[in-house]
């Protein structure tokens, strides 16, 4: 999570700062080639008149191959040469 704040004392300056911050975040996500959505949010304890979140939708899960092992998978039992 990354927050962005301004210290404007007038509503006009705040609106301009907000627009510049929003555009900067859009350029960052676009340069990285990320799919994102801008969603309305609550300002929370810090207050403020406007708050938005930039969210990236989850990618579809990849199905691991049947032979792939993960760090938590149990070891594959070995067959004894006599069986």
């Amino acid at each position: 999570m990354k927050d962005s704040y301004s210290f404007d004392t007038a509503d006009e300056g705040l609106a301009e700062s907000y627009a510049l911050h929003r555009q900067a975040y859009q350029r960052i996500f676009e340069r990285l080639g990320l799919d994102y959505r801008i969603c309305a949010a609550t300002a929370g304890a810090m207050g403020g008149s406007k708050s938005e979140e930039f969210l990236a939708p989850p990618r579809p899960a990849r199905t691991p191959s049947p032979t792939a092992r993960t760090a938590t998978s149990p070891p594959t039992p070995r067959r004894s040469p006599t069986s």
Side-chain angles (χ1 to χ4, degrees):
M1 185 170 96
K2 171 72 176 97
D3 294 338
S4 177
Y5 301 98
S6 81
F7 298 98
D8 293 285
T9 57
D11 286 341
E12 297 78 26
L14 176 61
E16 182 180 351
S17 292
Y18 193 94
L20 291 172
H21 288 210
R22 190 178 199 269
Q23 291 167 8
Y25 277 100
Q26 287 175 300
R27 283 193 308 271
I28 291 167
F29 280 99
E30 288 165 7
R31 284 181 184 168
L32 292 171
L34 297 174
D35 182 21
Y36 67 94
R37 308 287 185 274
I38 302 172
C39 303
T42 57
M46 292 299 291
S49 57
K50 188 169 185 179
S51 181
E52 293 178 313
E53 293 184 1
F54 286 68
L55 303 175
R59 294 182 185 178
R62 291 182 14 196
T63 305
S65 69
T67 58
R69 287 194 58 218
T70 64
T72 58
S73 42
T76 305
R78 294 182 186 226
R79 298 171 74 184
S80 67
T82 58
S83 27

